[in-house]
Amino acid sequence: MAKWLYRVIIFITTLLFTSQLNAINVSTVEDLWDIRDNLGGDYTLITGINLEDTNPNTINTYTVGTYNTGDIVEYTDGYAYYCSQDGNTNTPDTENGWTKMWEVSKGWDPIGDETSPFHGNFDGGGYVISNLYINRLADSSNNTTFPANGENFVGLFGFVTNGSTTSNASNSSDIYINNLGLTNVNIKGKRATGSLIGKVDLPNQRQGKLVIVDKCYVNGGTVAGFGATGGLVGANNSQRKQVVPIVRYCWADVTVSSTHPNNQSLNSGDNNNPYNIKYGGLVGCNENGLTQDSFSLGDVSGGDRVGGVAGCSIGGAIFRTYSTSNVTQNIGSSSWQGGYGPITGRVEGKLPPGLGGTNAIGSLEDSYYLDTSAITGTNDDNTYGTSQTSSQLSNATSYPNWDNNVWDFTTDYPTLQSSPSSIFYFKSKNSGAFSTVSNWENSSTENGTYTTSVIKPDYTNSVSIKVLSGDTITLANGKSAFISSTTVEGNLAVASGGVLNIENESGDDLIIAGNGSLEITGTLNIGQSATLIGETNSTITFNGTTSQSLPSGLSSVYNLTIDNSSGVTLPDTLTINGTLTVTSGNYTGANNVTVDGIYSPAVKHLVWPKTDFNIENYSSSTSLSSLYPTYINRSWTLTGNIDDASTDNREKTITFYWDADDDANHDWVGLSQTPVLFEGGSKVSTATSSNLSGNIRSATYVYTFPENAKATRGNLTIGLENQTLPVELSSFNAMATSTSSVALNWTVQSESNGSGYRVYRNNSNDLNTATMLETFIPAHNLPYTHTYTFNDEEIINATGQLFYWIKFIELDNSYTNYGPVFVQFEIPNNDTPPIIISEGIKSTYPNPFNPTVTISYYVKSPKSVTFEIYNVKGQLIKTIVEYPYNEGVHQVNWNGKDDFNKNVASGVYFVKSLNLNDNTPVKVLLSK
C-alpha cells in the first residue's frame, strides 16, 4: 500500500479531560501491565512501547546472571517476568525485583475481561505500541462445531465498559481511549477479537454514558478470530440504542480473517445465525454503535457478514467512511441473516436522530469504496456505499458532506488531520539487526528530537530511513524488509536468507551515499518503477553462495563487487560509474554495460583503475589455448569503446595477470625478456612495468580503446618481441610437433641475391655456442611473399626450452642472423615406446604454391630416391632424383617446370616417390 495512504499531519496532543491533569504516566511494559491494578484510572502514554517480548519466538529464556530494569525473560514456569531493578541477581520465582506477567505461549494478557473490564481513560499521546502478540485462538480442528476452547474478548484492552462491572453500578463514567497507534500486531482470539479492543459493551442501565475510541490506528500485521473480529475493535456494542459507543477518526491497515473460515455451527442465542459472522477491516460488529470519519485499507475475509469497514451494523450507523479493502465471504446461506459488502456486510435498523448523519436518521451514509476492490461471496451482495475510481477517491469533490477540518484531501486518498502520526523519520542508533527496534530511533519531524524507536522502519511507516555512517544494520536470515526513501551512509547488509524489498515512492527509493555500502548475501528485490542510486564512492556487493541477481530499476551504481562463485545476473543495461570488481564467479545478462574501472585479477585476469571516462558496450573474457611459445597460453577478448575524440582520454592502464602454467614457467627474469602485448597478432605496446617472478605473473600496458562501437573487439595476447627483423622477413616461428620434432617456418616479403638458409639450435639463448643443423635450404629469390618450412628431427636428449636461429646467406657469402625463437620441448620418458616414423613424403609447403614447392620426406637409410610428378591426365611431366646421405627428414624442391625446363600451367599435380616404403601420391596445387 502506498505511503500516501498513511501520511497525516502531526497531531498536537491536547488534554480532553480536567481529570487527566493528574493522569498516571505510562512509559514501560510494566506500567502498561499494571493498568489492570487500577482499571478505572486515567493514563497517559509518554513514550512508545515495544511489546516484542510478548512473542514466544522473541523473548529470552532466563539464565542465571545479572539483570537490569526493563529486561524481560521467560522463566521455567512458562511465564514472562519483568525486571524492575538494576543489578538484579534474584531468580524470578522469588518475585524479588521481578514482576510476573503473561503466560509466554499465549502472549499478552488483555488488560480487561468480562469480570474486571477496563473502565478508565487512556491517552496515547500520539505514540506507538508495537509488536503486540496475543495467541488465544480456539482449536483449528473445530471447523464444524462451536469450538469449546479459546478465549473471547481479545485485544490490548480486552473487554471495555463504562463501569467496574457489566451490571448497573454507581461508578459508571464516560471512557475515552484516544491518540494511540499500534503497529505490527499478531492477534489470534475467539469471539470479540481486535488489536486495540476485543469488545466494547455498554449495558442497558447506563443511559447517557459513552465509550469513545478516537484518533487511533493499527498499521501492519494480522487479526484473526471466530466471529465479531475487527482490525481495531472486535465488537462496538451497546445493549440499548440510547447508549452509543463511538469509533471515530480511526483507521486500520491489517489483514482480518476467521480462524475457522468454513464453520457453520449455529448460535441459538442470535436468531440461529452462525457463530462465524461479523468480520470488518476496522470494526467487526457495530451493534447499536457508531463508526464515523474512519477508513480501512487491509483485506478482510471471514465466515459471513463481512465488510471492508465493519462486518455489520445492526441498529448502528456508519457515516463518512471509505475502504480500499478486498472482501471475501467464506460461508453464506439464505437460512440466516448474512451478507457481504465493500463497506459493511449487513445494515439493519437505524440509530436515533442527532448522531451526525447527513439525514439524521441514516444507518450508512456518505461512504465510498474503491471500484477495483475484489468483493466476493456466495449469497446476497449488500453493496452498501458508493463505488469510486482511484482518481475519484483522491478528489475532494467526491466527498460533499465531509468536514475539511477533519479530513485532509491533499494526498491521493483522504487522511485524517487529527490522527496521531503513523509515519516517522528513522535513523540507526547502533549497529545490529534490522528487526531489533532498539537499533533505531525516530522522530515525527525531521529536525525534531529523536528517541529510541518501538517500531522497526518500513516503507509504510517512514518518511525517510537512514543508516548512519559507522553503523552496520543487518537484515538477518529469515527476515524481510520493505523500504523506500532510504539513505545508507554506513553499511546495510542482507544476510543469507534475508530479503530486502525496495518499494516505489516519490523521489529516490534507496540511495547508497558516498562511502556507504549495500552488502547482499541474501536477496534484493526492486519493485516496479523503484529506483536505486549509488553515489560517488558507494559500493554494492553481491557475496551469496547461490545464484543472485541485480534487478532492473537502477538509475546508476558506482562500485559494484561480485564475490559469488555461483554467479550474479545483471540487468541488460547497467552503468557502473566507478569500478566493477569480480573476485569470485562471474556475471551474466549484461548486454549493454558501461563501466570505468575494473578489478578482477583472479577471475578476468584484468585490472585497471578508473579514469572518469566510461567504457561503453563493455565486456571481457579470458581463455586458455595452446599458444606457447609464440605467446603465453592465456588470451583475452576485450570489447568496448570510449566516446571521446581525445586519444589520451581513451587510454586505460591495464594490468594483465597469468600464472606460471600459462607460460610453461618461462624464465622471463633469467632471460631478461620483456613481455609484449599483441592484438590480433600485431604488437600493441611493451610493458611499462611487470612482475614476472613467482607463480602469479603480471604486466602493465597502456591500451587505447576505440572511439566508437564499430571497432570494439580486442583479441589480446602476450608474448615476446623478436629482435628487429628486416623488411624482407616478416615472421619466424617454432612449434613442437606430436612426432617429437620441432617445425620451423618463416615468411619473407621479398628476397634477392640469396644463396639460402642455415638453421641453428641451442638450449640457451646463445647463438655463439649453437649447433648448425646439416640441412641447407636454398633461397627462392622471389619478389613476393613466400614461406619456408623446416622440421628439426635431429633432436637428441633435448628437453626444456630450445632456441632457433636462421642465417640468411647471400651470394657474396655475407649473411644476416634472425631469431631466436624458442619452443618448450620434452622428450618421451624411458617407459614410452619410441615413435616409429615410416618412409615416405611427409609434407609439401606451401600448398598451393607459386613457383616452388618444398617436398619433405623421410628415409630410414641412405639410398637413391626418385620423385615423379604427374598431371591430372596421369602424364609424367617431371622426374627428380635425390641422394640423401643419412637417415632422417630431407627436402627437395620442384620449381614448377617439366623435364624440358618449361613452365607448366596452373593446376593440380601429383608427387609420387619411388623406392620408399610409402609411395602414396601427394596432391599439390600450382597457382599462378
Side-chain angles (χ1 to χ4, degrees):
M1 190 68 63
K3 187 184 300 178
W4 40 258
L5 290 175
Y6 306 101
R7 294 193 180 277
V8 295
I9 296 177
I10 304 302
F11 174 72
I12 302 175
T13 304
T14 57
L15 294 175
L16 297 178
F17 311 102
T18 303
S19 61
Q20 286 187 311
L21 293 173
N22 299 313
I24 301 169
N25 290 337
V26 175
S27 62
T28 67
V29 175
E30 185 179 38
D31 293 341
L32 193 64
W33 178 264
D34 287 345
I35 290 176
R36 65 199 70 238
D37 295 335
N38 180 14
L39 290 167
D42 293 334
Y43 298 93
T44 299
L45 188 65
I46 61 173
T47 186
I49 294 179
N50 180 13
L51 291 178
E52 64 180 353
D53 288 320
T54 56
N55 191 322
N57 297 321
T58 304
I59 190 170
N60 293 318
T61 302
Y62 173 80
T63 57
V64 175
T66 301
Y67 291 86
N68 295 313
T69 301
D71 292 337
I72 301 177
V73 297
E74 177 184 3
Y75 194 55
T76 55
D77 61 355
Y79 280 82
Y81 287 79
Y82 180 94
C83 181
S84 56
Q85 67 181 37
D86 291 338
N88 189 353
T89 59
N90 300 312
T91 57
D93 58 341
T94 65
E95 299 191 22
N96 187 1
W98 294 94
T99 299
K100 185 176 181 179
M101 293 187 171
W102 58 86
E103 187 177 355
V104 170
S105 63
K106 295 182 178 181
W108 178 259
D109 193 2
I111 291 173
D113 58 32
E114 194 172 19
T115 301
S116 302
F118 177 76
H119 55 282
N121 296 299
F122 190 90
D123 180 3
Y127 292 102
V128 172
I129 294 175
S130 66
N131 303 311
L132 172 64
Y133 177 93
I134 306 175
N135 184 5
R136 311 210 175 225
L137 79 168
D139 189 343
S140 61
S141 64
N142 295 317
N143 209 26
T144 56
T145 61
F146 179 70
N149 58 355
E151 297 182 25
N152 300 328
F153 318 124
V154 170
L156 176 68
F157 284 98
F159 196 95
V160 176
T161 189
N162 55 2
S164 57
T165 66
T166 56
S167 61
N168 190 16
S170 59
N171 63 347
S172 61
S173 61
D174 292 334
I175 297 170
Y176 285 83
I177 298 175
N178 64 306
N179 293 336
L180 178 63
L182 302 177
T183 65
N184 192 34
V185 299
N186 188 341
I187 312 294
K188 301 180 183 70
K190 197 175 176 181
R191 293 189 65 75
T193 294
S195 58
L196 180 66
I197 297 173
K199 184 175 184 178
V200 175
D201 192 11
L202 301 189
N204 183 55
Q205 296 89 341
R206 298 191 184 133
Q207 183 173 354
K209 299 301 181 182
L210 299 176
V211 172
I212 297 178
V213 177
D214 71 344
K215 303 176 187 129
C216 294
Y217 70 85
V218 55
N219 181 14
T222 60
V223 177
F226 183 62
T229 299
L232 189 70
V233 177
N236 186 45
N237 292 1
S238 173
Q239 301 298 322
R240 59 184 296 172
K241 291 184 178 182
Q242 289 82 4
V243 181
V244 181
I246 299 172
V247 175
R248 65 185 182 190
Y249 316 138
C250 295
W251 61 272
D253 186 5
V254 290
T255 300
V256 177
S257 63
S258 171
T259 57
H260 303 70
N262 300 312
N263 189 302
Q264 299 190 37
S265 57
L266 297 178
N267 181 359
S268 59
D270 188 18
N271 300 319
N272 284 323
N273 287 308
Y275 286 97
N276 187 18
I277 57 174
K278 306 173 185 176
Y279 298 88
L282 185 71
V283 176
C285 177
N286 193 53
E287 186 168 342
N288 294 332
L290 174 62
T291 299
Q292 69 175 74
D293 295 293
S294 300
F295 62 92
S296 173
L297 309 172
D299 292 344
V300 185
S301 63
D304 206 342
R305 295 193 196 171
V306 188
V309 173
C312 69
S313 186
I314 306 300
I318 300 175
F319 301 147
R320 294 180 298 277
T321 67
Y322 76 87
S323 169
T324 64
S325 304
N326 297 314
V327 175
T328 303
Q329 179 196 49
N330 295 123
I331 63 173
S333 172
S334 59
S335 300
W336 58 69
Q337 300 168 328
Y340 64 97
I343 298 297
T344 182
R346 187 174 185 86
V347 173
E348 189 175 290
K350 296 181 179 180
L351 279 176
L355 292 179
T358 304
N359 299 321
I361 56 172
S363 293
L364 192 152
E365 298 177 2
D366 297 317
S367 293
Y368 306 91
Y369 64 94
L370 186 62
D371 64 345
T372 57
S373 298
I375 313 297
T376 57
T378 57
N379 66 347
D380 58 320
D381 178 4
N382 295 308
T383 308
Y384 303 116
T386 302
S387 172
Q388 301 275 37
T389 65
S390 179
S391 60
Q392 288 174 320
L393 280 182
S394 64
N395 190 335
T397 60
S398 300
Y399 309 91
N401 296 313
W402 287 26
D403 189 347
N404 289 339
N405 294 317
V406 173
W407 292 93
D408 178 9
F409 297 100
T410 62
T411 54
D412 287 348
Y413 288 174
T415 54
L416 293 162
Q417 293 191 33
S418 57
S419 180
S421 177
S422 60
I423 55 173
F424 302 90
Y425 294 86
F426 287 88
K427 61 183 180 181
S428 61
K429 183 179 181 182
N430 312 292
S431 294
F434 188 102
S435 59
T436 300
V437 296
S438 59
N439 291 327
W440 299 95
E441 55 185 6
N442 62 20
S443 172
S444 57
T445 59
E446 184 174 12
N447 298 316
T449 300
Y450 283 77
T451 58
T452 301
S453 180
V454 296
I455 54 176
K456 66 180 181 181
D458 64 35
Y459 82 109
T460 65
N461 62 23
S462 61
V463 180
S464 69
I465 305 170
K466 282 188 178 181
V467 178
L468 298 182
S469 178
D471 289 344
T472 295
I473 295 295
T474 302
L475 189 61
N477 180 23
K479 301 293 185 180
S480 62
F482 295 81
I483 63 172
S484 64
S485 303
T486 298
T487 301
V488 179
E489 299 170 353
N491 179 36
L492 177 59
V494 183
S496 177
V499 180
L500 180 64
N501 302 278
I502 304 174
E503 298 297 319
N504 178 35
E505 297 290 345
S506 59
D508 295 321
D509 301 302
L510 176 59
I511 299 173
I512 314 301
N515 299 316
S517 61
L518 173 63
E519 181 180 342
I520 307 294
T521 309
T523 301
L524 173 67
N525 294 324
I526 301 179
Q528 184 176 5
S529 300
T531 57
L532 187 158
I533 300 294
E535 294 184 345
T536 301
N537 295 326
S538 66
T539 300
I540 299 175
T541 298
F542 285 88
N543 58 0
T545 55
T546 59
S547 296
Q548 294 178 284
S549 63
L550 180 60
S552 59
L554 304 177
S555 298
S556 63
V557 298
Y558 196 76
N559 297 321
L560 176 64
T561 296
I562 295 174
D563 185 15
N564 182 342
S565 59
S566 297
V568 175
T569 301
L570 299 181
D572 185 66
T573 300
L574 179 65
T575 296
I576 304 168
N577 290 315
T579 298
L580 171 61
T581 299
V582 183
T583 56
S584 175
N586 214 326
Y587 60 87
T588 59
N591 295 319
N592 186 11
V593 171
T594 297
V595 68
D596 191 349
I598 293 292
Y599 182 84
S600 184
V603 178
K604 298 290 188 178
H605 296 262
L606 290 170
V607 169
W608 66 79
K610 66 181 296 295
T611 62
D612 295 328
F613 291 93
N614 285 348
I615 304 168
E616 300 174 358
N617 307 302
Y618 165 79
S619 68
S620 68
S621 62
T622 182
S623 61
L624 293 173
S625 55
S626 298
L627 303 175
Y628 189 83
T630 306
Y631 309 106
I632 68 172
N633 288 327
R634 181 171 296 280
S635 61
W636 292 262
T637 299
L638 188 60
T639 300
N641 65 285
I642 298 177
D643 186 12
D644 195 290
S646 172
T647 301
D648 290 344
N649 294 339
R650 300 200 308 274
E651 290 180 349
K652 299 286 186 179
T653 301
I654 303 179
T655 301
F656 295 82
Y657 291 81
W658 68 95
D659 58 39
D661 289 340
D662 297 344
D663 64 15
N665 206 25
H666 183 71
D667 187 9
W668 302 90
V669 177
L671 298 172
S672 300
Q673 294 173 336
T674 300
V676 174
L677 181 66
F678 294 87
E679 183 171 18
S682 299
K683 175 184 173 181
V684 176
S685 65
T686 302
T688 58
S689 63
S690 60
N691 183 357
L692 302 171
S693 60
N695 183 54
I696 303 301
R697 320 293 182 94
S698 66
T700 302
Y701 305 89
V702 175
Y703 180 81
T704 304
F705 282 87
E707 183 179 351
N708 56 64
K710 293 182 178 180
T712 61
R713 182 169 297 278
N715 296 307
L716 303 172
T717 54
I718 290 174
L720 273 177
E721 182 177 19
N722 296 328
Q723 67 181 56
T724 304
L725 302 176
V727 175
E728 292 87 352
L729 188 63
S730 60
S731 69
F732 178 23
N733 298 296
M735 182 175 293
T737 71
S738 60
T739 58
S740 298
S741 64
V742 174
L744 304 178
N745 66 79
W746 61 95
T747 299
V748 294
Q749 299 298 320
S750 63
E751 197 174 54
S752 62
N753 299 318
S755 173
Y757 296 87
R758 287 289 186 184
V759 179
Y760 294 81
R761 176 197 337 112
N762 204 346
N763 57 9
S764 65
N765 187 10
D766 186 359
L767 176 58
N768 294 327
T769 60
T771 300
M772 184 182 73
L773 305 187
E774 295 182 0
T775 302
F776 178 79
I777 299 97
H780 297 320
N781 292 317
L782 299 173
Y784 45 79
T785 301
H786 56 285
T787 301
Y788 293 90
T789 61
F790 172 75
N791 274 357
D792 180 11
E793 296 181 339
E794 302 176 14
I795 303 170
I796 301 174
N797 296 328
T799 185
Q801 288 185 336
L802 295 179
F803 295 82
Y804 288 89
W805 295 259
I806 55 174
K807 178 184 286 187
F808 176 58
I809 304 171
E810 300 190 45
L811 292 176
D812 62 0
N813 287 326
S814 63
Y815 62 87
T816 304
N817 292 323
Y818 300 103
V821 295
F822 57 92
V823 65
Q824 187 75 19
F825 185 81
E826 302 291 339
I827 62 172
N829 59 43
N830 295 333
D831 296 330
T832 303
I835 298 174
I836 300 174
I837 305 175
S838 62
E839 288 188 331
I841 297 174
K842 297 304 176 186
S843 66
T844 58
Y845 196 88
N847 192 3
F849 72 96
N850 180 16
T852 301
V853 62
T854 299
I855 304 164
S856 296
Y857 63 96
Y858 178 77
V859 296
K860 289 186 175 181
S861 60
K863 66 176 74 173
S864 173
V865 181
T866 300
F867 294 93
E868 294 180 340
I869 300 175
Y870 295 84
N871 61 22
V872 292
K873 297 179 180 180
Q875 298 169 326
L876 177 64
I877 63 170
K878 180 70 174 180
T879 300
I880 303 173
V881 179
E882 286 284 295
Y883 297 94
Y885 50 83
N886 61 0
E887 177 187 2
V889 175
H890 302 273
Q891 295 174 327
V892 63
N893 295 324
W894 177 43
N895 60 4
K897 298 180 182 291
D898 61 14
D899 285 333
F900 300 101
N901 203 32
K902 293 182 179 180
N903 291 325
V904 299
S906 298
V908 176
Y909 297 89
F910 296 91
V911 182
K912 182 178 180 181
S913 63
L914 303 182
N915 53 352
L916 292 180
N917 291 339
D918 183 1
N919 58 5
T920 303
V922 175
K923 181 170 68 174
V924 295
L925 176 63
L926 175 60
S927 176
K928 293 185 178 179

